[in-house]
Each structure stands twice: as C-alpha cells, then as structure tokens.
Amino acid sequence: MTMDIKECRIKVSAVYENYENDEEEGVTGYNDRLDIRPKYQREFVYKPDKRDAVIDTVLQGLPLNVMYWAKTGEDTYEVLDGQQRTISLMEYVDGNYSVEYDGNSMNFDNLPQDIQQRILDYELFVYICDGTDSEKLKWFKTINIAGERLTDQELRNAVYAGTWTASAKKYFSKSNCAASRYGSNVGCEGYVRGDSIRQEILETAISWIADRDHTTIDGYMSQHQNDQTAQELWSYFRTVIDWAEGLFTQYRKEMKGLPWGIWYNQLNKKTADLDPKDLESKVSKLMCDEDVQKKSGVYEYLLFGNENALNVRAFSERDKRQAYERQKGVCPLCGKQYPIEKMQADHIKPWSEGGQTIPENCQMLCTQDNIKKSNR
C-alpha cells in the first residue's frame, strides 16, 4: 500500500466536540473519531509555560506547528504528533486551567464571547496519514526526530505496542502508579531515577529483568509483546526493591539510581547471610568517613568489596612532595632512588584497615612496587 498524506484544516471547535479525558481510558475528541492519546503516546507532560504558550499563540492568531494524524478507519483517526498542543487547547476550552489575558488570569468561560469564538474558530493545520502500521510507525520515528523528542522507552512502547505494554504501563507509567508507591521507605522512586510519565521507571525495570534473562530491553519486549499481562515484570521488580530494603534498612538519598536489579541478579543467593544491622553500622561509618568521596559507592563496596567505587580521597601534591623529600627519593620497598614523576603515593596503613589520607600516612613507592602492593 502506498502511503497517502492529506492536508486538512480543522477547527478547534470540531476537535472539542465530545472531548473526553479519562486517566485510564485515554483522551478522545472530534466527536469520538479522534484518539488524541493512543496507547503508545506519552501522557500529558507539557509544563504550564509551554501549555500557556499554545493558548497565547492561538489568541494572537499565529500558526501552531503542523500536527499529524493517522487514519485508523473509514472516518477515525489517532494523533501521531501534536498531542501536547491538542490537549492544551482542549483542557483550556474545558475550563481546567487559566491563562493571562489582558493582564488578568482568565479561564475560557471568563473570556469575552468574541475571544472565545476566536479560539473555537482557530484552524489547526493537520496532515492525515493513511498507510500500514509499519509505515505509520516509521513516520512516527521521523516526526520524533524533527519535533520534540520522545524518550527511547516511549519509542519502544510504540514499536512493541500490545497487551503486554499496556499492562506494564499500568504498573510503571502513570503519575502515582503502583511502582512509584511501592516500597516501605520512599517508594521505588527512591531507588530508581527518572520520570514514570516519560517511561523511565519502566525502562529501568525492563533493563534489570532483561539482564537477568541475558537479553536486551528490545529483546525482552519483543519476546513478551503478546503476553496478556506484565505480571512477571511487576513481581520481579517488587522482589528487587524488597531485597534492597531488606539489606539496607535505613534509606539514604545516595541509594537512588543505583543498579539494584543488576546487583540482585548477581547476588541474591549470596546475601542471605548478611546481617542488615551490621551493614547499617558499616554504611553509617563510611558515610562519615571524610576520605570517602563518592558516598553512593558505599553500597557497591559493601556488596562487592570494590574499593574503587568509593573514590577514596587521594593524597595532595603537597603531601606527595613532603613524603618524597622525607624519603630522599628512595622507594622503601626496593631501596632504589627515583625521580618523583616515577613514584606513586601510597597509604602506609591501608585505607581498608583504617589508615587515613593524612600526611603522616603517606609514602612514595616506585610504580612497580605500588602495583605489587595493590594486588596483594
């Protein structure tokens, strides 16, 4: 089938006819013929200033950017691009927020009648696309490049739209969704970075379970696209959060954004003997250690023993020079003399054994001996 693109001008009043905005069922208008927010489109994310700018543009009679609708039936359509602008207009006409007009904050119903009519008569410039699903999705990606970009996960939701994605979005993708509220401390958003509306919580959850299954996010979504529910993902995600909260019982902001799912995949059967009280004591001590410069690294250090995760404070150039002069340039391990450029600073008493990063605990070793000592 050859892609057919038709240019149309459609009044705001026509799109507003039988406009409905339901949190669960989506957003429709144009007398039930237009799906304004299809399953794979983002939820409303415009901030007030951008939303108000849409209304101001219409009030001034200036052109809004072109919108794109996809034909879904004989006389039915869905919005491919222009959802945010369309909902901004519909919500304003519906009386759900106010904008500044003539120096006053005014709802649509408070505007002079001729101004109300000006908004309702405003013509949206719309391209209507008719083609196969794959053609429409290809077009959708092209539009995304040209306009306000969707996140990677929003695009994946479009490509792998189906029963599984719809189910997953109920758990992970709405404001105050089940995932954002899950957890006994601060909810999952205390552990995962990103915005549920922009699908970033969902993306993290899939990346974790995809790691467990030795595949990619795309691979996992493709494999489960036609599953009836995303219950497996939801159960797995809750297990990871429970595991993290069970090990580290006191929440700290440094726990946000760490790869808890990846760590769970590697360690869940090896951490049964860890004592949460002992871990909390160690976390508290490390958080107070001035030599630990990367506090979020405390958790990786305690789980894996990776000292590099802590970014332990290095000796200053002054400390190094004082130690070098004190040693007269001689490496205390091999007894040979080196220029300072060929030597490295070392904790005499290792940091892991309580040695501090202070001048009295600094010695200069030749590069080879420092490597040997580090590898012991």
Side-chain angles (χ1 to χ4, degrees), residues 103-117:
N104 299 301
S105 180
M106 301 184 78
N107 286 325
F108 180 79
D109 289 342
N110 301 128
L111 293 171
Q113 195 165 9
D114 61 318
I115 302 301
Q116 290 183 17
Q117 198 60 47

Side-chain angles (χ1 to χ4, degrees), residues 50 86 92 110 118 136 150 207 232 266 347:
K50 297 189 74 172
T86 304
Y92 183 65
N110 301 128
R118 184 193 301 175
K136 285 186 286 188
L150 301 182
S207 72
E232 181 198 40
Q266 298 176 33
H347 288 78

Side-chain angles (χ1 to χ4, degrees), residues 20 111 118 146 208 221 231 325 332:
E20 293 285 345
L111 293 171
R118 184 193 301 175
W208 289 353
M221 292 187 72
Q231 184 62 41
E325 298 299 334

Side-chain angles (χ1 to χ4, degrees), residues 38 41 104 124 142 150 166 173 182-183 203 232 247 264:
Q41 284 266 10
N104 299 301
L124 303 174
T142 303
L150 301 182
S173 304
Y182 191 77
E203 181 178 44
E232 181 198 40
L247 285 176
Y264 172 81

Side-chain angles (χ1 to χ4, degrees), residues 17-157:
E17 190 173 0
N18 284 328
Y19 170 73
E20 293 285 345
N21 187 343
D22 185 282
E23 185 176 347
E24 293 297 326
E25 300 301 324
V27 186
T28 58
Y30 203 38
N31 200 21
D32 298 327
R33 291 179 292 151
L34 177 64
D35 193 351
I36 298 173
R37 195 187 70 201
K39 292 177 181 177
Y40 53 78
Q41 284 266 10
R42 71 185 73 176
E43 292 188 57
F44 191 71
V45 295
Y46 260 8
K47 295 186 183 305
D49 59 335
K50 297 189 74 172
R51 180 191 64 187
D52 296 353
V54 172
I55 306 304
D56 187 51
T57 299
V58 171
L59 286 170
Q60 294 188 58
L62 298 173
L64 288 170
N65 288 338
V66 66
M67 298 180 181
Y68 299 87
W69 294 3
K71 194 170 182 179
T72 56
E74 186 64 29
D75 192 23
T76 57
Y77 313 89
E78 65 184 35
V79 174
L80 278 180
D81 187 70
Q83 178 199 120
Q84 310 296 316
R85 284 164 282 157
T86 304
I87 294 180
S88 293
L89 278 165
M90 298 302 107
E91 288 293 299
Y92 183 65
V93 174
D94 216 32
N96 292 324
Y97 67 95
S98 61
V99 298
E100 185 170 320
Y101 177 76
D102 207 16
N104 299 301
S105 180
M106 301 184 78
N107 286 325
F108 180 79
D109 289 342
N110 301 128
L111 293 171
Q113 195 165 9
D114 61 318
I115 302 301
Q116 290 183 17
Q117 198 60 47
R118 184 193 301 175
I119 293 175
L120 294 173
D121 289 342
Y122 183 89
E123 291 184 331
L124 303 174
F125 185 21
V126 179
Y127 279 130
I128 294 178
C129 158
D130 190 11
T132 65
D133 286 347
S134 60
E135 287 172 333
K136 285 186 286 188
L137 285 174
K138 184 177 180 181
W139 193 32
F140 188 58
K141 288 186 175 181
T142 303
I143 292 166
N144 188 46
I145 293 170
E148 185 174 351
R149 293 186 66 84
L150 301 182
T151 65
D152 289 343
Q153 189 56 40
E154 286 172 329
L155 281 174
R156 291 190 192 101
N157 290 352

Side-chain angles (χ1 to χ4, degrees), residues 300-314:
E300 182 177 352
Y301 172 71
L302 290 176
L303 290 173
F304 295 92
N306 180 12
E307 190 174 307
N308 290 333
L310 300 172
N311 191 19
V312 174
R313 184 162 62 92

